[in-house]
Amino acid sequence: SIHWLKKSKEIDQDLNYNYLLFHKLGLALFNINLIEDSIIEFEKAINLNPGNADLYFCLGLSKFKISNFNPEILVEAFNCMTKVIELKLLDEEAYKFRSMIRSHFNDMKGAKEDLLHAISINPNNPENLKQLKMIEHNIRLNNNQDISSSFQEIDRWLRGNYI
C-alpha cells in the first residue's frame, strides 16, 4: 500500500494537498515500524490540516515510540498529546499517553490527574485502573507513606466518592 500511496502522489499532484493521503501513508509506515518516515508524513498532514486531533495523536505516538526515553523527544510527544486534548477534550488515549510520559518524568501527581481524566471518560477500562493503582503506589513510596491507603482511595473513587 505504501508504494501505491506514493505513486498516487506522483500521478495526481493535487493529492499533495490532501492531508488524508499523508495520514494514511504515515499509518502504513508506522505499521511496518518505519517510525521516522511516519513522523515526516504526519507532520505534512498536520501542515495541511492543523485542527485534526487524530494527526497530532499519531505524531505523538510515533515520537513516543522512537523516544527511547529521550527527554527532548518525550516533551515533543507530550506536547502532541496536549494538543490532542485541546482539540478533542474527551480523548481517553491522549490522557493515558500523557500520563505515561509524566510518569517517566516522575511527575506522579500530573500522571494521576491525567489518568483520572482518562478514567472519567471511560470508567470501564481495567487497564486504566491498574495504572492508577501503580501511580498511587509510587506516590505513596515517594512520600514514605503507608501504601494500603492508595487502595482505599481507589475503592472510594470507584464508588463515586473520590475527591
Side-chain angles (χ1 to χ4, degrees):
S1 73
I2 294 170
H3 169 74
W4 293 113
L5 288 168
K6 288 182 177 181
K7 191 75 170 165
S8 65
K9 286 191 327 186
E10 294 171 13
I11 294 170
D12 186 352
Q13 293 298 313
D14 288 339
L15 289 177
N16 286 313
Y17 301 101
N18 185 336
Y19 81 92
L20 285 172
L21 179 72
F22 294 107
H23 186 201
K24 289 180 182 183
L25 186 53
L27 291 172
L29 291 165
F30 182 89
N31 286 332
I32 61 169
N33 214 29
L34 293 173
I35 307 303
E36 286 90 359
D37 294 336
S38 74
I39 288 172
I40 292 168
E41 299 304 323
F42 293 136
E43 287 173 340
K44 289 177 185 177
I46 287 170
N47 284 335
L48 295 171
N49 189 357
N52 188 311
D54 294 335
L55 299 175
Y56 285 98
F57 183 83
C58 292
L59 180 61
L61 181 59
S62 298
K63 289 186 181 247
F64 182 80
K65 187 167 183 176
I66 66 159
S67 72
N68 200 25
F69 307 110
N70 175 319
E72 291 175 12
I73 300 173
L74 281 174
V75 167
E76 292 175 18
F78 179 86
N79 291 339
C80 287
M81 294 304 163
T82 298
K83 186 68 174 178
V84 172
I85 292 165
E86 288 172 8
L87 294 170
K88 191 175 169 183
L89 289 175
L90 299 177
D91 195 305
E92 172 193 3
E93 294 296 316
Y95 279 111
K96 282 183 359 185
F97 272 101
R98 205 168 76 164
S99 174
M100 287 173 35
I101 295 167
R102 285 182 170 192
S103 67
H104 285 297
F105 285 113
N106 206 28
D107 175 12
M108 293 304 166
K109 182 179 178 198
K112 178 181 174 182
E113 288 172 9
D114 280 344
L115 201 51
L116 287 173
H117 281 290
I119 291 169
S120 71
I121 294 166
N122 182 5
N124 298 319
N125 186 336
E127 292 303 315
N128 290 345
L129 298 174
K130 288 178 193 174
Q131 186 65 31
L132 181 62
K133 286 180 183 179
M134 290 190 317
I135 288 171
E136 285 287 342
H137 181 77
N138 286 332
I139 290 171
R140 297 286 189 258
L141 286 176
N142 288 341
N143 294 331
N144 295 321
Q145 295 177 355
D146 178 17
I147 60 170
S148 63
S149 62
S150 65
F151 298 109
Q152 292 168 352
E153 278 188 45
I154 292 170
D155 185 55
R156 283 196 312 270
W157 183 84
L158 290 172
R159 295 171 194 268
N161 297 326
Y162 193 83
I163 296 177

